[in-house]
Structures are given as structure tokens and as C-alpha cells.
Amino acid sequence: MPALKLYAHPFSSYCQKALIALYENETPFEYRALTPEQPEAFAELEALWPFRLFPVLKDGERTVAEATIIIEYLHVHHPGPVRLIPGDPRIAIEARFMDRVFDNYIATPQSKFVFDKLRPEATRDPYGVAEAGKRLDTAYRWLDQVMATRRWAAGDTFSLADCAAAPMLFYADWTYPIPKTFAHLRAYRERLLARPSFARAVDEARPYRHLFPLGAPDRD
Ligand SMILES: N[C@@H](CCC(=O)N[C@@H](CS)C(=O)NCC(=O)O)C(=O)O
């Protein structure tokens, strides 16, 4: 049995972010899927991390939460041939910065749309959703300029930042489509979809598309 256990749901963006890191390095782990087939996994998750947010990594006695920190932890304690934290500390700063951009300025406003839809209708927040749309407009415009000269988010090599970008841009484009005029950003999303580690995560999540509360489009 592998030493590592990952508590995750295949359709969750933050879980896919951690899964990409594990798949990139073919790191062995036990998948404690938070699905109806493994009902005990949720109780285990709650005992480990009372916030009940996922993913959570368990390494022996050590519990590691937050997708970014899981990737940092894997880099230090279970390294593989693909260095997701760049060796050059100046590029590592860029990777960490771009990781924050995808979590804070893509995933957070995107999830505002999703959570608003899940609320009882009388408690919905159209003002907040409109503000989230404006945040995504700004993020898309800014990222399109940045990606005009980069293959991957921090430069030439795939990193932590791309682990974040892949699922966040995937779902953001479903929720609030990236305009066709932002060709660099759209091409980057396509490159991410072609990356085998992310393609695997997308495939594993296909059976759960009916869970997307805004209506999953008939495309990747
Ligand atoms: N800041 C956390 C966010 C994790 C997160 O929000 N996970 C979602 C799934 S994508 C979740 O656990 N949702 C369950 C809930 O909100 O109860 C991270 O970076 O890992």
C-alpha cells in the first residue's frame, strides 16, 4: 500500500490541481475518493481536517491541506523527475505568484457563480455575481497579455502555476467563456488540456459532469 493517501473528488478543481502534480511524477498514492462508493472517506477527511475542504494529503502521521501546499510538500518529500517548483528561485517566485493569480482571480470569482446557483433563490447575490464577472474580465485580459509570450504560466517549463491554471481555466471557461479575442489565453487552455496529467484528470471527472450546477457544456 503506498504511503500517501489523497482525499479528493475527481470533479473538484482544487483536487485536480493536486492530482496533476501526482500524475506528472507518477507518484504512487492511495486515492481516497470522496464519492458515494467510499462513504467512510468523508468521515476520515473530517477527522483530519475539520474544514472538510479537499484535497487533503496524508503521509503517515502528517496531514497536509491546501492544494498549493500539497504540491510544495510533494516537491520536498516525494520529489520526482518533473520539478513543479522551479530550481531557479527567481522563476519559483513567478510560479508561486501565478499560482496565486489562478486561485484568487480565476477560481474565486468562478466559484461565486457556482455557489450562487446552489443557494436558495431568495438568498442569491446578483451584485456579487456581477462583481465576480468583472474580476474575471480583468483576469482574462491580464492573463491574455502575459500568455502572449509564454508557453507555460511561469515561462518555459510546466510548474505549480500550470497545475493551478489547468482546472481553474477549464471551469472558468465553462462558467464565463473566455472571449475569442483572447487567443493567447484560449491557446494556453488548449495546451493544458493536451498535457497528459491534466487530460487524465479531465477523463476521470467525466462521469460527474451532471454535478456542475450551471449545466456542463458539451465540450472540454
Ligand atoms: N483553499 C483550498 C480550497 C479547497 C476547496 O475549496 N475545495 C472544494 C472542492 S473544489 C471543497 O472542498 N468543497 C467542499 C465544500 O465547500 O464543502 C485549497 O486550495 O485546497
Side-chain angles (χ1 to χ4, degrees), residues 9 11-18 34 42 45 49 51-56 65-70 99-100 103 111 115 168 171:
H9 190 287
F11 199 57
S12 142
S13 55
Y14 283 100
C15 295
Q16 291 180 3
K17 176 174 165 179
L34 300 160
F42 226 102
L45 170 77
W49 187 232
F51 297 101
R52 296 162 46 108
L53 294 173
F54 33 93
V56 164
E66 296 290 315
T68 298
I69 306 307
I70 290 171
D99 171 71
R100 295 298 77 227
D103 276 19
S111 66
F115 289 132
M168 305 322 171
Y171 288 117

Side-chain angles (χ1 to χ4, degrees), residues 93-114:
I93 290 176
E94 188 64 14
R96 292 183 170 109
F97 165 62
M98 292 298 281
D99 171 71
R100 295 298 77 227
V101 169
F102 290 111
D103 276 19
N104 293 332
Y105 306 127
I106 297 288
T108 298
Q110 187 273 341
S111 66
K112 178 74 184 169
F113 283 80
V114 169

Side-chain angles (χ1 to χ4, degrees), residues 39-164:
E40 68 289 355
F42 226 102
E44 290 170 27
L45 170 77
E46 194 165 13
L48 292 171
W49 187 232
F51 297 101
R52 296 162 46 108
L53 294 173
F54 33 93
V56 164
L57 184 77
K58 185 102 167 68
D59 186 11
E61 293 306 303
R62 184 94 181 253
T63 298
V64 188
E66 296 290 315
T68 298
I69 306 307
I70 290 171
I71 295 172
E72 295 265 8
Y73 180 90
L74 291 170
H75 174 78
V76 172
H77 294 279
H78 298 271
V82 181
R83 293 180 64 98
L84 295 169
I85 308 298
D88 180 334
R90 290 162 296 194
I91 304 175
I93 290 176
E94 188 64 14
R96 292 183 170 109
F97 165 62
M98 292 298 281
D99 171 71
R100 295 298 77 227
V101 169
F102 290 111
D103 276 19
N104 293 332
Y105 306 127
I106 297 288
T108 298
Q110 187 273 341
S111 66
K112 178 74 184 169
F113 283 80
V114 169
F115 289 132
D116 198 70
K117 181 74 178 178
L118 294 171
R119 283 181 178 187
E121 205 152 347
T123 68
R124 291 216 177 122
D125 173 20
Y127 177 82
V129 170
E131 289 298 302
K134 286 188 206 165
R135 178 59 53 88
L136 284 173
D137 288 335
T138 303
Y140 288 168
R141 193 176 322 110
W142 185 84
L143 281 166
D144 189 63
Q145 284 171 11
V146 170
M147 294 315 298
T149 56
R150 294 184 193 184
R151 175 161 180 75
W152 300 115
D156 295 334
T157 49
F158 193 90
S159 76
L160 161 70
D162 304 294
C163 299

